[in-house]
Amino acid sequence: MTITSKLPQVGTTIFTVMSALAQRHGAINLSQGFPNFNPADALQRLVFEHMQRGDNQYSPMPGLPLLRERIAEKMARSYGAIIDPDTEITITAGGTQAIFCVVGAFVGPGDEVILIEPCYDSYRPSVETMGGVAVVHALQAPDYAIDWAAVGQLITPRTRLICINTPNNPTGRTLAAADLDALAALLRGTDVLVMSDEVYEHLIFDGREHATVLTHPELRQRSLAIYSFGKTYHNTGWKTGYCIAPPELTREFRKVHQFNVFSANHPMQAAFADFLTDADQYLGLPAFYQQKRDFFLEQLRGTRFKPLPCEGTYFQLCDYSAISDEPDFDFCKRLTQEHGVAAIPVSSFYSDGRDDKVIRFCFAKTDDVLAAAGELLRKV
Ligand code: GLN
């Protein structure tokens, strides 16, 4: 029997590979992005209470109405965005599932999708599973500056979607309002949609404000914005997120979502609906993670790693060219095996494997772990 792979180039994701390697070698795992601390006790208790109350069967397909209402309130409070909870919000099984549904709903064979690399490693395989073609604008270390005129050159009559991500995984850079204006100008008069991955919306530092497509007068009409409770409430394993888009786009999104997972975790949704009423829980996030970023940067002082600017997310990029000229994957493997700290090679976020000798550390860890990692990194 011959099996025809739809994704012949794809192996196991780098996040799984590096986490497994870290575990095998007992290394400190700063590779895959997840916190090593628990979500708030109160939130955990709410999940259990809802389970005991009987919220254990399927939730409505688009998500619990109360949760969608609370999200709409949060978006109004945070950004002044007016969102209709019934027709514009869909609760998903995490951000990655939402991304897959956006692509599934709007991209068909031969359709082109513009990716700005380095980007999260699910974008391209999602496009290729649907028979779409990824068209890439590749950014370079250390600035990772987007040349919007060059992005504009990539638009053709086959372009269906462009994917943006701010704050950005892995670069840690953010888009400014002017970037969204530049994108809006490029798309004016086209039918190109925008997938705006905003899962790190609250992890933004040094007084910056998150630039969301939801309040952009032009982009709002053509955008599907994606969010993640996992990033906001320290529970990436609960796999709950959501997609916000105008009614006509949400209608198509839900056609795919309902046959992909049907609905997301019911007790988690009920707990998030209760917990969202306490805005302090997420308003404190920029300060919380900025302290971690700065603590990790202090740990890196005296190493030969050169940190690149980090404006948001819980990722710190470092140039290691003063230490080695090995390919970044080999360097990460050796760092894990010989030095006891796991990181992600940034080449994994480029489809051509571009290697600028930059690796990504996740600093969503308790200070003791970051300090222990620092001690090991100072010996590299
Ligand atoms: N988004 C996280 C990261 O970039 C992990 C996602 C995953 O493991 N699939 O590390």
Side-chain angles (χ1 to χ4, degrees), residues 13 15-16 31-34 96 120-121 169 200 231 315 344 349 360:
T13 95
F15 306 115
T16 300
S31 64
Q32 192 175 22
F34 61 87
T96 304
Y120 181 48
D121 72 343
N169 176 13
Y200 299 100
K231 310 295 186 294
F315 302 117
I344 298 286
F349 299 86
R360 189 196 81 176

Side-chain angles (χ1 to χ4, degrees), residues 212-372:
T212 173
V213 290
L214 296 181
T215 47
H216 194 282
E218 285 176 82
L219 292 181
R220 169 81 164 99
Q221 312 310 317
R222 55 170 86 235
S223 294
L224 299 107
I226 290 169
Y227 299 90
S228 156
F229 288 117
K231 310 295 186 294
T232 300
Y233 292 122
H234 319 307
N235 45 36
T236 60
W238 292 11
K239 296 299 301 176
T240 315
Y242 51 102
C243 173
I244 299 183
E248 352 28 295
L249 299 182
T250 292
R251 211 173 299 128
E252 296 304 314
F253 178 91
R254 288 180 182 171
K255 288 181 190 175
V256 176
H257 169 76
Q258 67 183 344
F259 296 121
N260 184 209
V261 294
F262 180 65
S263 64
N265 277 312
H266 189 161
M268 272 70 175
Q269 290 188 62
F272 285 131
D274 295 342
F275 208 59
L276 268 178
T277 54
D278 180 4
D280 289 343
Q281 297 291 338
Y282 53 85
L283 293 178
L285 280 174
F288 175 77
Y289 275 115
Q290 184 172 322
Q291 182 275 331
K292 295 219 167 286
R293 178 201 64 180
D294 292 345
F295 185 75
F296 186 56
L297 285 175
E298 260 170 57
Q299 300 307 312
L300 289 175
R301 225 176 283 142
T303 70
R304 290 186 291 159
F305 290 96
K306 184 169 169 271
L308 306 189
C310 168
E311 303 170 342
T313 74
Y314 43 47
F315 302 117
Q316 176 62 57
L317 293 190
C318 283
D319 179 317
Y320 65 90
S321 58
I323 302 170
S324 163
D325 58 7
E326 283 162 278
D328 62 358
F329 181 71
D330 296 352
F331 181 73
C332 282
K333 247 169 91 179
R334 202 163 63 76
L335 194 64
T336 309
Q337 290 166 343
E338 295 177 15
H339 298 279
V341 182
I344 298 286
V346 170
S347 64
S348 333
F349 299 86
Y350 286 101
S351 33
D352 67 355
R354 182 190 174 88
D355 180 358
D356 288 329
K357 312 288 176 222
V358 176
I359 62 176
R360 189 196 81 176
F361 293 107
C362 172
F363 56 78
K365 309 292 167 187
T366 45
D367 288 357
D368 58 320
V369 169
L370 295 176

Side-chain angles (χ1 to χ4, degrees), residues 51-72:
M51 285 177 164
Q52 293 215 303
R53 242 182 267 165
D55 293 341
N56 296 302
Q57 311 311 326
Y58 300 121
S59 84
M61 180 276 282
L64 286 184
L66 181 63
L67 177 58
R68 288 184 280 129
E69 273 168 38
R70 296 269 158 85
I71 290 171

